């Protein structure tokens, strides 16, 4: 049975977002992929004080205005349209009362009141996250719903300019207007502005903007439209509150008599309010899309291949997709709202209201780095290492992001890892360790046949093995998305011809379950491991040789420089070996499993000798760097993979929101004596206490070298501390979100003192903020038992440590005392 919604009510009700407690410096507006990524700049200011921006910080022409005919007043709502409205006897420029912004995982709402009237306007930007509909997530488009309330007539206006299609303002552009008629495949007739470069440069960027593809802005067919010079069009609306349905066909440069592409809509609220004897609510929906074909090129098993967007397998033309997307608003909003509500509940229960907002703020940013490609029976996800260097499918960028995917939809993690596995299984990468990335710069995954990618061998092997086992566990535990799996009754049907190809979605665009496909998650996990087992074994062999005492090399925090004997890096490699012991078991390789397990056990004992300070109060940055300390964020993997749970025992467990509270734990509910675990409890305990001691104003520094931090690793670390310490870290990060002077989409690298600014390099909009989901991924792991194994951390308050004294004591004797070291 499918759910029934009243569409007219859904369009209004589903954009409601609870008040947000945090005030971040930038908020997402339309964020779908690396090239359709537009943001509310300076979000603590009124929206008309600045132009919206691309994620790099470059501005784009994007104006929204309201006009009240009764008072001949025009109100800029978004963007600096007031700069184009000279003084006139025909209209007055004024500013509304800005009532602030609210946001959830998929939606940003900007709300205004018109002074001297009862008119209230909400601009609701929806970039829907739909974890149970991969098909919908692949659509490169978002929504703007403009909602007006009151009893006074008002007109709304929206425009964009050519900066949406190119980062080079000297480029020439072309455009057109396409109309659709109502039909079985078009419920709501729409009109669409389509804008593109005159001479596209395929698979090329200019300051991170795509130089190929077409931008579309769509609206209902009954709104007015007009294109033309920016001053003229904006003043025309200010004077008349409407447009003339004309198309300027004089193609030219982006700022050559700047062409803009506008829609306007009249809302006759006064007459409706008289009929209804009260305030009236009405709305209009606009959509924004970027279509590209191909989306990337990829050195696949069959050679360098132009990869088409996933949506192109479902629609024969871009305009068919745009029409479906417009008609699908109710369903997309419903699914996105379900995800946002569940995330809010889980995050609040896991941390606080602040954590709820941080998780919500991070979600669209993660997916804003992705491009969905492949085919309906074999989807894949490509990822850009946004802002840091633009690498393609960077392993150590996927790794900090992967808690988001484990929580949201583990199958999406499989789609992310697939290009890396396929490329290396095909023999195109010469090294015996995992590659760092698929290409120096997105969107070109041309590989590294010379083996000269960035040198992080222990990092990448450990990352792949940890993520591999985490995915296997999610599949075996049948950790499917804990979100609604049924489309509303009004959902638009897809035209699927199952005689020509297989689909992993039903006719309503919802993902099939394992049961629907006639299999189980456990079988899927075994198939996945078996196909790529050669690589898992190869990478583990490298770790056996190189991870216990890492040579001079980079870790994922490459901005900090090369370093030998890194304690945290070694731990990642050792956990990777331990992960392989479980991966081998999945395909029945018991002897290999036992051998890898024994190696890991031996290494973790030696690691404790090498990596801890002399007084055993903390982990050192490097084995031979006495008087140093590090955030030991890689211990998170031990907990996530449930190596910290004693084998064949069952801890006393309270109710969990991830399983039936009536279900009895395996082996009964009796308490049993805690047996030895892979990483001893004392390591978790001393690190939790240490973080409490070294916490700064805006969070937990990365290590003793600097006061900067990485927010993804802060959340990895905080997830495996006591509740008190977790709360402390979370509160300090929330303070940073509210006070930081950074002026770009959420950075993950910032100073924990001073103004909380960029330390250089300036990271922004990176998908690694998926690491903020570490609490949630941990609570879902192993059927909900993973976090239960850390309850011992809450048995006592943090130990007070004199940090300076502890570090000095570690430097008293400089003898290495570690044999081969």
């Amino acid at each position: 049975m499918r759910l029934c919604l009243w569409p007219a009510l859904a369009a209004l009700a589903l954009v409601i977002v609870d008040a947000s407690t945090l005030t971040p410096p930038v908020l997402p507006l339309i964020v779908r992929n690396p090239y359709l990524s537009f943001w509310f700049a300076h979000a603590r200011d009124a929206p008309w004080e600045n132009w919206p921006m691309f994620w790099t910080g470059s501005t784009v022409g994007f104006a929204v205005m309201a006009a009240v005919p009764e008072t001949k007043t025009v109100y800029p709502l978004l963007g600096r349209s007031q700069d184009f409205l000279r003084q006139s006897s025909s209209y007055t420029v004024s500013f509304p009362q800005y009532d602030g912004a609210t946001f959830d995982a998929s939606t940003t709402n900007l709300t205004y009141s018109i002074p001297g009237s009862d008119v209230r306007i909400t601009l609701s930007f929806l970039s829907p996250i739909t974890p149970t509909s991969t098909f919908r997530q692949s659509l490169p488009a978002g929504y703007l719903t403009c909602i007006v309330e009151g009893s006074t007539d008002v007109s709304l206006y929206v425009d964009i300019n050519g900066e949406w299609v190119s980062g080079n303002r000297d480029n020439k552009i072309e455009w057109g207007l396409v109309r659709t008629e109502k039909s079985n495949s078009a419920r709501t007739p729409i009109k669409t502005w389509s804008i593109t470069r005159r001479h596209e440069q395929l698979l090329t960027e200019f300051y991170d903007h795509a130089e190929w593809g077409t931008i579309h802005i769509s609206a209902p067919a009954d709104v007015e439209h007009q294109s033309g010079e920016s001053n003229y069009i904006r003043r025309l609306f200010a004077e008349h509150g409407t447009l003339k349905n004309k198309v300027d066909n004089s193609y030219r440069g982006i700022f050559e008599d700047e062409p803009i592409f506008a829609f306007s809509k009249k809302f006759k609220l006064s007459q409706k309010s008289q009929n209804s004897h009260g305030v009236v609510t009405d709305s209009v929906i606009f959509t924004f899309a970027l279509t590209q074909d191909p989306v990337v090129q990829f050195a696949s098993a069959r050679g360098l291949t132009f990869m088409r967007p996933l949506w192109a397998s479902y629609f024969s033309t871009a305009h068919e997709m745009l029409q479906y997307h417009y008609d699908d608003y109710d369903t997309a909003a419903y699914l996105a709202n379900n995800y946002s509500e569940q995330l809010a509940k889980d995050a609040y229960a896991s941390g606080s209201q602040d954590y709820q907002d941080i998780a919500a703020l991070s979600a669209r940013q993660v997916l804003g780095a992705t491009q969905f490609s492949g085919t309906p029976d074999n989807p894949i996800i490509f990822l850009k290492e946004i802002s840091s260097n633009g690498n393609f499918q960077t392993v150590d960028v996927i790794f900090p992001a992967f808690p988001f995917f484990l929580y949201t939809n583990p199958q999406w993690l499989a789609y992310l890892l697939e290009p890396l596995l396929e490329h290396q299984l095909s023999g195109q990468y010469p090294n015996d360790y995992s590659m760092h990335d698929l290409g120096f710069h997105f969107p070109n995954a041309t590989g590294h046949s010379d083996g000269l990618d960035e040198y992080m061998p222990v990092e990448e092997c450990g990352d792949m093995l940890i993520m591999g086992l985490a995915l296997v566990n999610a599949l075996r535990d049948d950790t499917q998305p804990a979100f609604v799996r049924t489309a509303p009754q009004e959902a638009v049907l897809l035209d699927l011809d199952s005689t020509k190809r297989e689909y992993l979605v039903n006719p309503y665009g919802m993902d099939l379950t394992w049961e629907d496909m006639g299999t189980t998650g456990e079988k899927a996990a075994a198939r996945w491991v078996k196909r790529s087992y050669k690589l898992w074994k190869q990478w583990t062999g490298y770790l056996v040789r190189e991870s216990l005492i890492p040579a001079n090399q980079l870790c994922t925090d490459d901005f900090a420089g090369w370093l030998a004997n890194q304690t945290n890096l070694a731990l990642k490699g050792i956990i990777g070996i331990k992960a392989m012991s479980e991966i081998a078991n999945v395909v029945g390789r018991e002897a290999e499993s036992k051998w890898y397990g024994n190696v890991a056990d031996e290494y973790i004992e030696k690691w404790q000798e090498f990596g801890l300070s002399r007084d055993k109060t903390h982990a050192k940055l490097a084995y031979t760097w006495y008087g140093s300390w590090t955030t030991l964020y890689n211990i998170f993997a031990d907990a996530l993979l449930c190596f910290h749970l004693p084998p064949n025992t069952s801890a006393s467990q309270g109710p969990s929101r991830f399983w039936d509270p009536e279900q009895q734990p395996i082996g009964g509910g009796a308490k049993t004596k805690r047996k030895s675990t892979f990483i001893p409890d004392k390591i978790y305990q001393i690190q939790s206490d240490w973080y409490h001691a070294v916490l700064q104003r805006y969070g937990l520094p990365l290590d003793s070298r600097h006061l900067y931090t990485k927010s993804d690793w802060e959340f990895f670390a905080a997830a495996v501390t006591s509740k008190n310490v977790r709360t402390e870290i979370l509160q300090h990060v929330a303070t940073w979100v509210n006070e930081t002077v950074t002026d770009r989409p959420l950075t993950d690298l910032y100073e924990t003192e001073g103004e909380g600014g960029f330390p250089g390099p300036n990271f922004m909009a990176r998908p690694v903020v998926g690491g903020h989901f570490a609490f949630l991924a941990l609570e879902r792991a192993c059927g909900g038992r993973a976090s239960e194994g850390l309850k011992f951390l809450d048995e006592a308050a943090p130990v007070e440590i004199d940090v300076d004294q502890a570090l000095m004591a570690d430097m008293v004797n400089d003898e290495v005392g570690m044999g081969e070291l």
Side-chain angles (χ1 to χ4, degrees), residues 157-160 175-179 191-195 221 223-230 232-234 236-237 240 242-252 259-264:
Y157 166 98
V158 175
D159 75 43
I160 64 171
W175 57 86
L177 184 76
V178 177
R179 297 176 175 86
K191 55 176 68 172
T192 300
W193 289 114
S194 297
I195 309 106
V223 306
E224 296 87 14
H225 67 268
Q226 193 160 351
S227 61
E229 194 271 331
S230 55
Y232 172 74
I233 299 296
R234 288 167 180 157
L236 178 70
F237 174 77
H240 303 287
T242 187
L243 299 173
K244 294 184 177 181
N245 291 329
K246 292 183 178 180
V247 178
D248 176 353
N249 289 317
S250 178
Y251 304 143
R252 53 192 183 271
I260 60 173
F261 314 95
F263 291 119
S264 69

Side-chain angles (χ1 to χ4, degrees), residues 304-493:
L304 196 59
T305 305
F306 281 175
M307 300 298 295
R308 304 194 70 199
L310 182 59
W311 63 261
S313 298
Y314 294 90
F315 305 101
S316 58
T317 68
H319 283 280
E320 284 185 16
M321 183 273 288
L322 296 174
Q323 181 68 61
Y324 180 95
H325 175 260
Y326 195 94
D327 288 337
D328 192 55
Y329 172 80
D330 285 350
T331 300
Y334 169 71
L335 296 175
N337 186 65
N338 173 261
Y339 175 74
S340 294
E341 285 188 346
Q342 188 62 51
L343 172 60
K345 292 175 184 176
D346 291 346
Y348 184 83
S350 181
S352 64
Q353 178 68 51
D354 286 340
Y355 184 51
Q356 175 182 324
D357 283 354
I358 290 171
L361 186 63
S362 305
R364 277 171 284 177
Q365 183 166 317
V366 178
L367 291 168
T370 63
Q371 283 276 22
F372 283 69
S373 185
T375 58
D377 61 332
N378 187 24
I380 53 179
I381 300 176
F382 295 117
L383 181 137
K384 178 177 179 177
E385 182 179 339
I386 282 185
S387 84
S388 35
N389 64 10
N391 283 173
F392 194 125
Q393 218 74 8
T394 310
V395 172
D396 63 288
V397 170
I398 297 174
F399 180 76
F402 92 106
F404 167 83
F405 293 99
L406 284 180
Y407 171 79
T408 303
N409 185 345
Q411 194 60 45
W412 289 356
L413 178 60
Y415 299 158
L416 270 172
L417 297 181
E418 178 57 30
L420 290 158
L421 297 175
E422 177 180 336
H423 179 82
Q424 291 173 91
L425 283 170
S426 68
Q428 298 180 66
Y429 184 67
N431 297 320
D432 64 346
Y433 49 80
S434 170
M435 67 193 314
H436 171 269
D437 59 78
L438 277 172
F440 281 120
H441 204 89
F442 197 91
N444 298 294
T446 50
H448 298 281
S449 58
D450 57 3
L452 297 180
D453 50 329
E454 192 170 9
Y455 187 66
M456 297 184 186
V458 172
E459 175 72 43
E460 313 305 5
C461 290
D463 288 347
M464 289 299 292
L465 286 157
I466 290 166
M467 289 191 291
L469 181 56
L471 176 58
V472 165
N473 287 345
L475 296 177
R476 289 194 301 182
D477 293 342
D478 200 26
T479 311
Q480 299 199 35
F483 312 106
V484 64
R485 304 198 65 89
T486 306
Q489 188 173 346
E490 294 78 14
V492 182
L493 279 168

Side-chain angles (χ1 to χ4, degrees), residues 720-739:
V720 290
T721 61
S722 69
K723 288 183 179 179
N724 287 340
V725 174
R726 173 193 285 202
T727 299
E728 282 184 321
I729 295 173
L730 186 56
Q731 288 172 340
H732 287 242
V733 175
T735 300
W736 171 78
V737 172
N738 283 335
E739 298 180 3

